[in-house]
Amino acid sequence: MYELAAFGIVTGFISGFFGVGGGMILVPMLLLSGYIMKEAVAISIMQMVFSSIYGSFLNSKKFTNVLKDGIIIGIGGFAGGLQSGYIVTNVSNETLQYIFILILFYSIIKIFITPAEQTCDKKSKNKLTLFIIGFFTGLIAMSIGVGGSVILTPILIGFLKYDLKAATALGLFFVIFSSIAGFTSLSLNGYMLYTQGAIVGIFSLIGVYFGIMIKHKVQSNSYKKYLLILNTLILITMIIKIL
């Protein structure tokens, strides 16, 4: 229990600070602790339900404008996340880990080449585009145990021209929809580990609070560097796990 509680606090801080569901850090930690990929995915998804709802509540006053777009993306993510149980059932643990590594690699490149601060072009988006982006993000993310922000943030900043901090806030809001869908799907398919997920989720709330508080005090360029460092460390951890 103490190990899971510690994982929850660390994951919550990462979730709040970087606007991610936390799976990108929690899944590797659980794998290194002896859990198999599908067990790690289940615990990770349940934790996301806790951290994303609380984190988005804390973010709501500062990023109200982007959360409107987040509802459309979130509905798409919910629809995609509901299909994750089928993916987890029919795809091997090894394949899911390789997908995770490829997504991390893509995210690092996209964040590196995109400015930390930019103005969103409202004319470049429409509801159907946002829904489709949300659907496929939710489908892939819930199948590998991440909330979707690691996939969604590079798309938001690279193609839809969101500011980096606003994109991560929207990404965490998106996680509410995708994680609830993933939780429902995996529960119906018998993969959910309720006790372990609840322990990690409850303790993650502590970390979320401090993560968001510090995020608002960090400059955008420094924030971008921290995000790149995080993704790189997780990528290295996953590659070591595979080897």
Side-chain angles (χ1 to χ4, degrees):
M1 174 179 174
Y2 294 110
E3 183 181 57
L4 292 175
F7 286 172
I9 294 173
V10 172
T11 302
F13 180 85
I14 298 296
S15 178
F17 186 78
F18 293 104
V20 297
M24 60 190 301
I25 184 69
L26 181 57
V27 168
M29 288 194 298
L30 290 170
L31 291 174
L32 292 174
S33 296
Y35 290 91
I36 64 172
M37 185 65 179
K38 292 180 181 180
E39 292 174 338
V41 167
I43 296 172
S44 175
I45 289 175
M46 189 167 179
Q47 175 275 143
M48 290 175 206
V49 176
F50 287 82
S51 62
S52 62
I53 292 175
Y54 183 52
S56 293
F57 169 74
L58 296 177
N59 276 324
S60 60
K61 293 182 179 180
K62 191 172 181 65
F63 298 107
T64 303
N65 55 329
V66 299
L67 296 185
K68 295 177 181 178
D69 291 338
I71 293 175
I72 305 299
I73 298 178
I75 292 172
F78 185 85
L82 285 176
Q83 316 305 315
S84 62
Y86 175 81
I87 300 297
V88 171
T89 300
N90 293 280
V91 178
S92 68
N93 286 303
E94 291 75 16
T95 300
L96 291 175
Q97 291 182 60
Y98 284 123
I99 292 173
F100 194 2
I101 288 173
L102 289 174
I103 289 172
L104 283 169
F105 187 71
Y106 163 78
S107 180
I108 290 169
I109 293 175
K110 201 63 183 177
I111 292 173
F112 179 77
I113 65 177
T114 304
E117 295 183 354
Q118 53 189 346
T119 302
C120 177
D121 180 6
K122 292 293 182 181
K123 295 181 180 179
S124 67
K125 306 190 303 299
N126 59 62
K127 293 181 179 180
L128 179 60
T129 299
L130 294 174
F131 179 86
I132 292 173
I133 289 173
F135 179 86
F136 285 103
T137 300
L139 174 65
I140 297 172
M142 288 299 96
S143 299
I144 60 175
V146 299
S149 182
V150 64
I151 305 171
L152 186 60
T153 296
I155 295 174
L156 293 176
I157 65 174
F159 299 105
L160 301 183
K161 308 305 180 184
Y162 279 91
D163 175 80
L164 182 57
K165 285 189 177 182
T168 56
L170 197 157
L172 186 58
F173 182 67
F174 169 84
V175 174
I176 296 176
F177 295 84
S178 61
S179 62
I180 291 176
F183 175 81
T184 302
S185 183
L186 292 187
S187 295
L188 291 175
N189 284 275
Y191 287 105
M192 187 53 59
L193 300 179
Y194 298 101
T195 301
Q196 294 91 331
I199 293 172
V200 176
I202 291 171
F203 279 92
S204 73
L205 302 181
I206 300 172
V208 168
Y209 175 81
F210 289 102
I212 289 180
M213 181 178 67
I214 295 174
K215 170 186 175 180
H216 293 326
K217 298 180 180 180
V218 175
Q219 293 183 346
S220 295
N221 286 331
S222 297
Y223 185 70
K224 175 180 176 178
K225 293 177 183 178
Y226 297 144
L227 191 60
L228 286 170
I229 291 171
L230 172 70
N231 286 355
T232 302
L233 290 175
I234 295 170
L235 176 62
I236 293 172
T237 300
M238 289 301 298
I239 292 175
I240 292 175
K241 176 64 179 179
I242 289 287
L243 298 177

